[in-house]
Amino acid sequence: MMYEAPIREPLILGDKTNHQITEDVCRPIEGKANKYWWWAFGISVAMLLWWVLCVSITVGKGIGVWGLNNVVDWGWDITNFVWWVGIGHAGTLISAILLLFRQKWRLSINRAAEAMTIFAVICAASFLLTHTGRPWLDYILFPLPNQFGSLWVNFNSPLIWDTFAVSTYFSVSLVFWYTGLIPDFAVVRDRAKTKGYKRFYSLLSFGWVGSAKNWQRFEEVSLVLAGMSTPLVLSVHTIVSMDFATSIIPGWHTTIFPPYFVAGAIFSGFAMVQTLLIITRKVLGLEEYITTYHIDMMNRIILITGSIVGVAYITEFFIAWYSGVEYESYAFINRATGPYWWAYWSMMTCNVVTPQLFWFKKIRTSIMATFIISIFVNIGMWFERFVIIVTSLHRSYVPSEWGMYHPSWVEVGIFIGSLGLFFTCFLLFVRFFPVIAMSELKTITKVSGTKIRKEYKDMDEAHAHADAAHH
Amino acid sequence: MMSKMIFAIFSDEEVVLHQIPSLKSKGVRIKDVFSPFPIHGLDKALGLKRTRISICSFLYGMTGLSLAILMIWYMNISDWPMNIGGKPNYFFYKNVPAFVPVLFESTVLCAAHGMVITFYLRSKLLPGVTAFVPDARMTDDKIVMQVELKDENKEAEITALLINAGAEQVKEYGK
């Protein structure tokens, strides 16, 4: 059996048995939703309807209803796309990279984080599809012959890379998540009291029984999927960054973009995981599973990636000056002191200064402080994308091309509505799906519960005493 | 004629792991073990072969890569070469840096989906499949060992062996 050093904090608090884990995780699915859930769901659905209205206006009238113009031809659409794709990264990172590194603290949080990934990528894709202006022709993005002849998609274009990257990422994350859910659906199926529930979860669980061969294959599949998803996580945001980096616009045309975007994505993704999980653990009463230790560990990742992002901002600025290219230097000075200075400094404050507070253990382990900082990071990362896109476009090489950009109410509506889409999906998820990967969590009850930790500690102390007496 | 099956229910995975070799040596025919979570070493104890699903995944990945190379070569080099921004477009090997992202994504796409589909089909996991559940607790916290009885007269003897090995209960399907 596995042994973990007693100096580590337990991953599950309380003296939990496997049956209790099942009870605790299934409770929200089997019981009735409380009024907080209904309130949150009601507000989210209202926002979702607003999204439907604003998207319908966009599709009906064209993207002329947005605030874009000849100068700034990417605005909130691509800002939101990159922001949402970035948020999606934490889920796959937690389930893939941390699985490969055998980080057991991922176990209570991976399921919810993966769900977040799926919903965030759906939101991102909606911006990708609507920003073309003629979404009914979006099939041209896929490698299909043009309907008028033999013209094919251009694989040199970063936009076709995006199509491949986002669709591969989305579909692979989806099967990774779903395959992991199957054993847990089987738990709910076998506990179901009513016929309807039984039928519903039978359908979802694909007839899973947990035989030795099934588990053997399941573990191999999880491991190989994790191995493949790891470079996939890094490739998606690298490719998104190349949408910018392969152009010759000052402020975009930089080689630092791929690692900088990936770090930023993980940074914003973890911030969103914190925001969601702090609420989820409270509402569903899962404080013993998603402990301050988990929150602490995620805060450390936020601190690291936040610092990488901070270094990237400063490096960008330095290289803009050091390159001696006046257009490049101007782009950066204009970001900090030009008409969009407020966006730049909001970004700097939220992304560079705030996460540094996590050096203090007291703040890192405080639920309230984490919640507030995570929201700051979410806002800061949105501003980062806004700053990169809008401030680089609004001052081009020739002053006659200079202009400003103001979002229209439809654009703002689509953004707020996309939050509604995201939260509606997430609330339905916590209501009908097991929020914690029970089957995986049950593998560590024997080594990481509070009781067993104490036993280990006593055992180690007894050994130490015996050794001391011996010498 | 199908031989009779009995099911022994255990609580502790370590007990199951340790007892399997001795039970096997005493002539208990263990058909399968159902558990709510993966038990490492169980496949070896039961004598299951190593799964080859990762090899499948590699082959699917290579197929995906080859198809992507063929697709890109045909569309952009052979059928309709386009001069966009002066990028070389008459030879695949010169243009290949621009194709790397698509080649990589196609490889992963085929490897991942091919492997998962194979996993579902080989494990007979599909929507609508009725689960074989000898005991509802086997997805919750119990480990269920399925034992085949060649000779039904030996039922009492094998039941006693299983109980001795630490089984909490031995029962027949549906009882």
Side-chain angles (χ1 to χ4, degrees):
Chain A
M1 283 303 286
M2 204 177 77
Y3 173 82
E4 271 182 14
I7 48 164
R8 289 206 177 174
E9 282 182 47
L11 294 176
I12 312 164
L13 299 180
D15 185 16
K16 299 283 179 197
T17 62
N18 287 341
H19 180 63
Q20 271 169 321
I21 294 181
T22 313
E23 291 277 330
D24 290 345
V25 177
C26 291
R27 197 177 306 122
I29 306 171
E30 291 163 348
K32 279 200 172 123
N34 58 21
K35 67 172 192 264
Y36 298 113
W37 187 87
W38 280 111
W39 268 107
F41 188 66
I43 295 168
S44 303
V45 170
M47 282 159 73
L48 174 61
L49 292 174
W50 190 242
W51 179 82
V52 172
L53 174 78
C54 292
V55 170
S56 307
I57 292 172
T58 306
V59 173
K61 294 194 170 178
I63 48 172
V65 294
W66 292 356
L68 302 174
N69 49 52
N70 281 343
V71 178
V72 181
D73 46 11
W74 273 0
W76 276 40
D77 47 354
I78 300 299
T79 303
N80 297 333
F81 160 68
V82 184
W83 187 66
W84 277 120
V85 168
I87 285 174
H89 277 54
T92 321
L93 185 105
I94 289 175
S95 47
I97 299 183
L98 298 184
L99 175 78
L100 291 184
F101 287 147
R102 301 277 188 266
Q103 291 297 310
K104 298 286 181 190
W105 61 266
R106 71 183 188 91
L107 285 174
S108 300
I109 52 173
N110 66 342
R111 174 68 48 75
E114 285 167 41
M116 182 197 80
T117 292
I118 307 288
F119 308 140
V121 178
I122 291 173
C123 291
S126 75
F127 287 101
L128 200 62
L129 296 178
T130 49
H131 98 289
T132 59
R134 290 176 179 76
W136 54 94
L137 294 177
D138 280 350
Y139 64 87
I140 291 177
L141 288 166
F142 290 95
L144 298 167
N146 172 308
Q147 66 264 54
F148 304 115
S150 52
L151 190 65
W152 300 96
V153 290
N154 171 22
F155 289 93
N156 289 305
S157 161
L159 298 180
I160 192 76
W161 302 346
D162 249 359
T163 310
F164 273 81
V166 176
S167 47
T168 303
Y169 184 55
F170 176 70
S171 64
V172 172
S173 301
L174 189 68
V175 296
F176 197 2
W177 179 61
Y178 197 82
T179 308
L181 267 163
I182 284 177
D184 288 356
F185 279 141
V187 182
V188 187
R189 171 198 71 201
D190 291 345
R191 287 167 57 89
K193 299 249 170 11
T194 61
K195 245 191 177 152
Y197 258 66
K198 189 138 200 130
R199 197 166 291 166
F200 179 60
Y201 287 103
S202 292
L203 203 65
L204 292 179
S205 66
F206 284 19
W208 175 268
V209 287
S211 71
K213 191 75 194 173
N214 277 2
W215 278 124
Q216 188 203 35
R217 290 195 185 118
F218 180 89
E219 289 222 283
E220 185 100 351
V221 165
S222 306
L223 193 68
V224 177
L225 275 182
M228 284 191 287
S229 303
T230 300
L232 198 60
V233 177
L234 307 182
S235 81
V236 175
H237 234 62
T238 299
I239 289 173
V240 170
S241 81
M242 286 173 183
D243 291 348
F244 301 96
T246 54
S247 72
I248 49 161
I249 291 170
W252 287 5
H253 188 57
T254 53
T255 46
I256 200 176
F257 262 23
Y260 154 36
F261 265 52
V262 171
I266 295 165
F267 182 52
S268 64
F270 269 90
M272 190 57 112
V273 174
Q274 293 282 36
T275 314
L276 286 177
L277 284 186
I278 287 174
I279 301 171
T280 309
R281 74 197 276 277
K282 185 85 197 150
V283 174
L284 302 185
L286 296 170
E287 286 97 339
E288 287 169 314
Y289 297 95
I290 302 162
T291 65
T292 41
Y293 178 72
H294 291 95
I295 288 168
D296 182 10
M297 296 310 271
M298 287 194 282
N299 282 339
R300 288 170 195 221
I301 293 193
I302 292 179
L303 175 59
I304 295 165
T305 48
S307 303
I308 298 176
V309 167
V311 169
Y313 293 161
I314 298 162
T315 309
E316 249 189 346
F317 224 114
F318 171 75
I319 295 295
W321 164 76
Y322 189 66
S323 66
V325 180
E326 57 185 311
Y327 301 103
E328 196 73 24
S329 307
Y330 176 74
F332 281 86
I333 292 164
N334 177 53
R335 274 185 192 178
T337 59
Y340 288 107
W341 64 270
W342 48 272
Y344 183 81
W345 291 107
S346 306
M347 166 190 101
M348 285 303 251
T349 318
C350 295
N351 291 350
V352 183
V353 182
T354 359
Q356 296 305 319
L357 293 171
F358 283 145
W359 283 106
F360 302 102
K361 190 169 184 192
K362 220 169 188 172
I363 295 176
R364 215 165 58 221
T365 48
S366 152
I367 307 288
M368 208 23 156
T370 304
F371 187 69
I372 294 167
I373 293 175
S374 75
I375 288 174
F376 265 89
V377 172
N378 285 326
I379 296 170
M381 285 307 291
W382 189 88
F383 272 115
E384 182 200 294
R385 277 70 195 247
F386 179 81
V387 165
I388 291 172
I389 292 166
V390 175
T391 64
S392 302
L393 285 173
H394 90 123
R395 294 281 157 92
S396 189
Y397 289 98
V398 191
S400 62
E401 286 179 348
W402 290 5
M404 291 295 283
Y405 160 76
H406 304 283
S408 73
W409 68 272
V410 183
E411 269 170 301
V412 180
I414 294 178
F415 174 58
I416 294 169
S418 73
L419 289 166
L421 171 67
F422 177 77
F423 284 112
T424 305
C425 293
F426 195 81
L427 286 162
L428 287 172
F429 159 75
V430 296
R431 185 81 187 85
F432 294 104
F433 286 23
V435 188
I436 288 177
M438 289 182 267
S439 54
E440 278 193 87
L441 195 66
K442 285 171 188 170
T443 57
I444 60 159
T445 41
K446 278 203 157 184
V447 282
S448 212
T450 312
K451 192 180 157 202
I452 196 84
R453 270 309 145 94
K454 200 179 163 307
E455 280 170 20
Y456 278 163
K457 214 169 193 163
D458 294 345
M459 213 160 66
D460 276 17
E461 274 164 16
H463 279 299
H465 279 302
D467 280 352
H470 189 72
H471 291 297
Chain B
M1 195 190 107
M2 251 182 64
S3 41
K4 194 176 171 183
M5 294 290 174
I6 53 170
F7 299 89
I9 295 158
F10 294 80
S11 283
D12 195 327
E13 69 272 21
E14 278 173 82
V15 172
V16 177
L17 264 185
H18 289 136
Q19 293 294 338
I20 285 174
S22 77
L23 283 172
K24 273 168 114 181
S25 68
K26 285 172 191 156
V28 178
R29 301 165 71 92
I30 303 169
K31 288 296 281 182
D32 210 339
V33 173
F34 305 100
S35 59
F37 49 85
I39 303 172
H40 289 168
L42 185 66
D43 45 352
K44 271 194 192 136
L46 288 174
L48 296 178
K49 276 190 196 152
R50 219 187 145 241
T51 170
R52 288 169 295 180
I53 210 150
S54 43
I55 300 170
C56 289
S57 174
F58 177 77
L59 297 177
Y60 292 128
M62 287 300 111
T63 314
L65 179 65
S66 316
L67 286 176
I69 291 173
L70 193 69
M71 172 176 79
I72 293 171
W73 169 81
Y74 175 70
M75 291 177 182
N76 282 201
I77 313 289
S78 159
D79 191 44
W80 197 278
M82 287 181 286
N83 187 341
I84 294 169
K87 288 178 185 165
N89 58 348
Y90 285 99
F91 301 100
F92 185 82
Y93 74 94
K94 280 191 177 170
N95 210 178
V96 91
F99 298 158
V100 166
V102 175
L103 297 178
F104 169 75
E105 300 291 341
S106 306
T107 310
V108 174
L109 186 77
C110 292
H113 290 290
M115 177 178 65
V116 171
I117 291 168
T118 310
F119 165 64
Y120 285 162
L121 294 178
R122 286 290 288 139
S123 308
K124 298 196 178 64
L125 293 172
L126 289 168
V129 171
T130 319
F132 169 72
V133 186
D135 190 296
R137 294 170 296 170
M138 77 183 202
T139 46
D140 177 3
D141 61 341
K142 300 291 180 200
I143 296 144
V144 175
M145 188 186 280
Q146 182 182 11
V147 174
E148 188 185 17
L149 289 179
K150 268 275 176 210
D151 182 359
E152 286 196 27
N153 299 327
K154 282 194 174 170
E155 188 171 345
E157 187 192 326
I158 290 183
T159 305
L161 275 175
L162 289 167
I163 298 277
N164 269 341
E168 289 173 1
Q169 189 190 351
V170 178
K171 61 179 210 171
E172 286 173 32
Y173 185 62
K175 288 192 179 166

